[in-house]
Amino acid sequence: MGRAPCCEKVGLKRGRWTAEEDELLTKYIQANGEGSWRSLPKNAGLLRCGKSCRLRWINYLRADLKRGNFTAQEEQLILNLHASLGNRWSLIASHLPGRTDNEIKNYWNSHLSRKIHSFRRPFTPTMPPVVMDINKAVIAKRKGGRNSKASTKRHNNTDAGSSSNKPTENPRVYETVPFPSTPILEKETLSFTAMEDKERGSEEGTTMENSMLCPSGILAPLESIESNGMPWFDDITNTELLQPHGDLDLSEMAANNNNDSGDMNSSCSITSCFVDDWEWERVVNGNEPWDEKEFMCSWLWESNDHNVKGDRHKLNDDNDDFETYTWLFT
DNA sequence: AAGAGCGCCAACCGCTTTTCT
DNA sequence: TAGAAAAGCGGTTGGCGCTCT
């Protein structure tokens, strides 16, 4: 028995939704709740595919949707999240209440991606690298598929206020620290994790100690980077973001950087921050170290002419658990 | 004034993941 | 346990409207 198509293609309406269709769908969902998308069109009297109904509801008709332009804060949050998560729009959208993945994706493609391209600059050996050290992280599994009631409940309980990313009793062990999902990254990250587990015989099979996370979200073992050089941001964007299925992997990038004699400050790419510790929740909540005052990344968008002081400047004097350093630019 | 070009965004498509039977 | 079904996700498309020439 073959799999049935998601909907009867013949006789179904496509294209823009009319006000009447919107009303039918809204009334039906208000009366019966979300879900059962396959049977919904028939029950609601709509000549639409269930998928189409779901999309229309999620992206347009839901009452909690925010309309209008993205604020500067939202834009900055998207940039920060995208730097760490890549094109995981639904995950990004989960941190922007009232915004949908489709909306964010469109906004990124039409506005923000252009900014990214505009500030990508050639290799300049005078600037220090971005190095973020994340003590412990858990590989975020790709969400998707059908949700059971139980999992939906779990999701609802943890999603509010991004509580799922809060530190546990051990302040340095976080429940989830997601990073981009690309074939290369997943392969590399999994191999690193396996390697570390083997070395220390750890029971914490999903944590990543002594690893580095740069703003694109690349995770690499500290010792590998120290000995082989950093996978620079341009390489990362070229291979992972711009050419997500490129053939170059981290080990190859590390090999390519071998000529830099492992001195991380002797050569770098476009980004220039040094962070000893990194807390995901701060990024999500907008308390990230790179705010307007101590900017970490905003300079990337605004100017090509920054002089690097090269000092390590401690932010967060009031929080000994979270020591963040950044290079200062003038 | 008209048409070509371009950007935005709603909607579609195909694939993956999860759940169900 | 396998396969079907349902749902979710990200990439892509196409139409509309605005701007420019």
Side-chain angles (χ1 to χ4, degrees):
Chain A
M1 185 168 81
R3 179 178 172 171
C6 78
C7 55
E8 291 290 338
K9 301 272 181 184
V10 181
L12 288 184
K13 202 177 165 195
R14 295 183 52 176
R16 301 259 158 173
W17 281 64
T18 64
E20 290 75 27
E21 288 176 312
D22 283 345
E23 193 180 345
L24 276 174
L25 180 58
T26 303
K27 280 183 178 173
Y28 181 85
I29 291 177
Q30 282 171 349
N32 302 283
E34 291 182 45
S36 304
W37 297 109
R38 190 181 161 82
S39 58
L40 185 149
K42 192 179 172 185
N43 296 337
L46 286 160
L47 284 172
R48 292 275 180 175
C49 168
K51 259 183 159 181
S52 180
C53 293
R54 175 183 160 272
L55 219 55
R56 183 65 180 172
W57 173 254
I58 288 173
N59 289 335
Y60 196 81
L61 296 176
R62 266 163 47 204
D64 60 336
L65 289 180
K66 196 188 280 183
R67 291 275 153 209
N69 294 335
F70 282 80
T71 65
Q73 287 79 14
E74 285 177 318
E75 183 177 313
Q76 187 60 54
L77 184 53
I78 293 168
L79 289 166
N80 292 343
L81 288 165
H82 188 272
S84 292
L85 299 173
N87 294 358
R88 300 168 93 172
W89 305 116
S90 65
L91 205 52
I92 293 171
S94 70
H95 295 295
L96 285 100
R99 302 294 189 183
T100 69
D101 55 352
N102 206 37
E103 195 177 8
I104 293 169
K105 181 171 61 182
N106 283 334
Y107 187 67
W108 176 269
N109 288 333
S110 59
H111 295 87
L112 302 181
S113 65
R114 229 165 284 151
K115 281 190 178 181
I116 289 284
H117 285 276
S118 70
F119 80 67
R120 289 185 74 247
R121 291 182 287 185
F123 175 85
T124 52
T126 56
M127 299 174 74
V130 168
V131 179
M132 286 181 150
D133 176 13
I134 182 165
N135 277 336
K136 303 212 176 191
V138 175
I139 297 168
K141 207 171 179 181
R142 184 186 186 275
K143 268 169 65 178
R146 188 176 174 176
N147 282 349
S148 67
K149 286 178 182 173
S151 66
T152 301
K153 194 177 177 183
R154 278 199 303 275
H155 177 74
N156 289 339
N157 285 341
T158 56
D159 210 32
S162 304
S163 59
S164 63
N165 296 311
K166 286 182 179 173
T168 60
E169 287 179 11
N170 180 344
R172 292 196 179 275
V173 178
Y174 311 148
E175 284 184 32
T176 56
V177 180
F179 53 90
S181 172
T182 68
I184 293 169
L185 282 179
E186 286 179 3
K187 190 177 100 183
E188 292 291 335
T189 308
L190 289 172
S191 66
F192 291 146
T193 307
M195 181 177 68
E196 287 168 359
D197 288 346
K198 193 178 175 183
E199 282 176 359
R200 84 179 104 93
S202 169
E203 294 176 4
E204 301 168 297
T206 54
T207 62
M208 313 232 11
E209 283 188 313
N210 299 323
S211 296
M212 287 188 166
L213 184 70
C214 68
S216 74
I218 287 286
L219 209 55
L222 189 57
E223 66 243 22
S224 167
I225 291 169
E226 284 174 342
S227 60
N228 296 320
M230 185 70 184
W232 308 117
F233 194 83
D234 279 354
D235 291 329
I236 292 157
T237 52
N238 279 334
T239 57
E240 287 293 334
L241 299 181
L242 302 180
Q243 302 167 23
H245 300 295
D247 292 326
L248 192 63
D249 64 21
L250 280 181
S251 56
E252 286 169 335
M253 286 192 281
N256 290 343
N257 281 296
N258 243 347
N259 294 335
D260 296 331
S261 68
D263 180 359
M264 290 192 292
N265 292 338
S266 67
S267 61
C268 75
S269 182
I270 57 169
T271 43
S272 309
C273 312
F274 197 107
V275 179
D276 283 323
D277 202 348
W278 186 65
E279 191 178 21
W280 172 247
E281 191 185 17
R282 285 173 186 259
V283 179
V284 171
N285 292 338
N287 300 323
E288 69 279 18
W290 49 90
D291 59 24
E292 290 92 341
K293 293 176 185 172
E294 305 289 355
F295 63 95
M296 188 169 185
C297 291
S298 58
W299 65 274
L300 291 170
W301 318 113
E302 293 155 5
S303 172
N304 289 326
D305 293 308
H306 290 287
N307 297 317
V308 182
K309 271 186 176 175
D311 297 329
R312 294 178 77 191
H313 173 74
K314 185 173 185 291
L315 308 173
N316 310 91
D317 284 332
D318 55 332
N319 187 347
D320 290 337
D321 286 336
F322 184 71
E323 294 181 356
T324 302
Y325 297 88
T326 185
W327 293 87
L328 291 179
F329 303 89
T330 57

